[in-house]
Amino acid sequence: MKREFTTLCYLQKDGKWLMLYRNKKKNDINAGKYIGVGGHVEDGESPDECIVREVFEETGYRLTDYRARGLITFVLNDVGEYTVLYTADDFEGEEKICDEGDLVWVEADRVLELPLWEGDRAFLCRLRNATDFFTLKLIYKNDKLIEIV
C-alpha cells in the first residue's frame, strides 16, 4: 500500500470557514468538492511547517495562530493517507487567487450543506463540536465511503 502524509486546515473568521472549491485542476480527485487548504508534507518538514507553507501558497495568508485538532487516516483503494487536521483563527495578509480552485468564505453552520466528501462530514462535525484532539479512520472504495473507524 502506498502511504502519503498530508495536512489540512480550516481557517475561521467572523463565524465563517474558508473553503476551497476544487474546480481548476485536471484529473483532480477532489473536483467539484469543497475541502480545506493544505497539502503534502515535504521531506524533512514537520506538519506545522507544512501547514504554514501550504496555507500561504494556496491562500496568501500567513498563519499566526493555529492548532492541530486531529489525525485522519484515509484509506482509498491502495493508498493510505495520514492527515494532520488543523484549524486557524488568526492570520494576516491578503487573499490571493488559488490555482487549485476558488476560495470561498462560508458560514460555519452552512458548511455541511456543500458538496463534500462523505467522510469529511464526519470529521467536520467532530471539528465543530469537539475541543480535544481526535483521531478518525475513513475507508473508501473508489469514491464511496464504506467504513468509519
Side-chain angles (χ1 to χ4, degrees):
M1 176 174 283
K2 180 181 175 187
R3 293 189 181 97
E4 297 182 359
F5 187 26
T6 62
T7 59
L8 184 62
C9 187
Y10 291 89
L11 281 69
Q12 304 168 342
K13 183 178 182 179
D14 301 327
K16 296 180 180 180
W17 288 12
L18 184 61
M19 302 296 291
L20 176 57
Y21 178 61
R22 296 291 290 254
N23 61 354
K24 294 183 180 177
K25 290 174 69 175
K26 291 184 179 186
N27 302 317
D28 184 357
I29 192 168
N30 295 304
K33 293 187 172 45
Y34 287 81
I35 63 172
V37 293
H40 288 83
V41 177
E42 295 179 353
D43 288 342
E45 191 175 52
S46 72
D48 283 5
E49 291 167 326
C50 175
I51 201 59
V52 168
R53 175 184 55 76
E54 286 284 353
V55 167
F56 180 72
E57 288 175 1
E58 293 181 4
T59 69
Y61 293 126
R62 293 192 187 279
L63 298 181
T64 54
D65 188 26
Y66 60 95
R67 68 184 179 115
R69 301 285 305 280
L71 178 63
I72 312 299
T73 303
F74 295 94
V75 178
L76 175 60
N77 302 328
D78 64 343
V79 177
E81 182 176 336
Y82 305 95
T83 302
V84 180
L85 180 64
Y86 290 86
T87 55
D89 58 11
D90 197 24
F91 42 91
E92 56 192 24
E94 290 194 29
E95 192 171 295
K96 69 173 198 163
I97 294 173
C98 180
D99 62 2
E100 296 183 11
D102 296 328
L103 294 167
V104 183
W105 286 97
V106 178
E107 294 289 338
D109 60 357
R110 300 203 59 218
V111 167
L112 296 178
E113 298 170 14
L114 300 171
L116 304 167
W117 284 96
E118 191 177 347
D120 288 14
R121 293 181 198 288
F123 71 72
L124 288 171
C125 284
R126 288 194 186 185
L127 196 59
R128 286 177 24 174
N129 300 321
T131 56
D132 293 338
F133 189 89
F134 64 90
T135 62
L136 191 64
K137 182 177 181 182
L138 304 169
I139 303 171
Y140 286 87
K141 178 146 183 145
N142 300 319
D143 63 350
K144 180 164 177 48
L145 182 66
I146 59 171
E147 187 175 2
I148 299 175
V149 182

